[in-house]
Amino acid sequence: MAINTEQMTVAPLRRTTDPSPTIWLKRLIDSGTLYIPQNLNPTQFATLQAITLLLSHSGSYYAASRLDATLVTSAASAPPDAPAPPIAFDYRLGLDEIEIITRTRTNYSFTELPSELQDAVLSLIASRDLTSRKLDLAHWLEDLHYQTLELAA
């Protein structure tokens, strides 16, 4: 068998370029895979997400983003000259207080703790063994639990 090399043509290589990282990020946001918090800062949202995962049933991974979106909707429905609804402020304050308590007691952020320790911290808050001067955290956690179950359904 002979190979005829005279008839061979080589097609030039076509170089494809990957889309820029901003295009990938936009695609993730548009598809709902990546959620950018609208009413909470990233640390607060990460803490909220960790708590909602502990409080809700399995498979309700998006409860934190739904809750954040609810807070944004509440703020948007208020008259323009009225202050932001207190619920948004309370959520920010509660999440900050949990972060302060865990950093003070463990030297770690709430989100850096293993889920067993996160659960223990929430149990201590629910039993009023860990408290805050700025907010009734046990009541706040009870309200969050109710909201999380409502949004996860």
Side-chain angles (χ1 to χ4, degrees), residues 16-153:
T16 60
T17 58
D18 291 332
S20 72
T22 55
I23 291 174
W24 284 110
L25 183 61
K26 185 174 176 350
R27 285 181 188 168
L28 289 172
I29 293 168
D30 290 344
S31 69
T33 305
L34 181 64
Y35 179 77
I36 307 271
Q38 314 240 332
N39 201 39
L40 303 171
N41 67 37
T43 303
Q44 291 168 338
F45 183 73
T47 304
L48 178 66
Q49 193 167 32
I51 293 171
T52 57
L53 286 173
L54 290 171
L55 295 178
S56 63
H57 302 293
S58 60
S60 56
Y61 186 74
Y62 300 106
S65 57
R66 288 183 190 140
L67 183 56
D68 180 61
T70 301
L71 295 175
V72 170
T73 303
S74 299
S77 64
D81 54 300
I87 191 169
F89 175 76
D90 288 347
Y91 272 95
R92 284 189 223 115
L93 181 60
L95 293 166
D96 288 341
E97 287 299 305
I98 288 176
E99 186 68 21
I100 290 168
I101 287 171
T102 54
R103 282 200 182 272
T104 303
R105 306 275 177 158
T106 67
N107 290 329
Y108 291 101
S109 169
F110 184 82
T111 56
E112 294 173 334
L113 297 174
S115 60
E116 297 84 21
L117 288 178
Q118 289 175 346
D119 193 36
V121 168
L122 295 181
S123 295
L124 290 171
I125 289 172
S127 66
R128 299 190 190 294
D129 289 329
L130 285 177
T131 60
S132 166
R133 291 182 183 172
K134 296 180 181 179
L135 183 70
D136 181 359
L137 279 176
H139 182 66
W140 178 89
L141 189 61
E142 190 177 303
D143 287 346
L144 176 61
H145 188 209
Y146 175 75
Q147 281 280 8
T148 301
L149 292 176
E150 199 174 87
L151 290 170

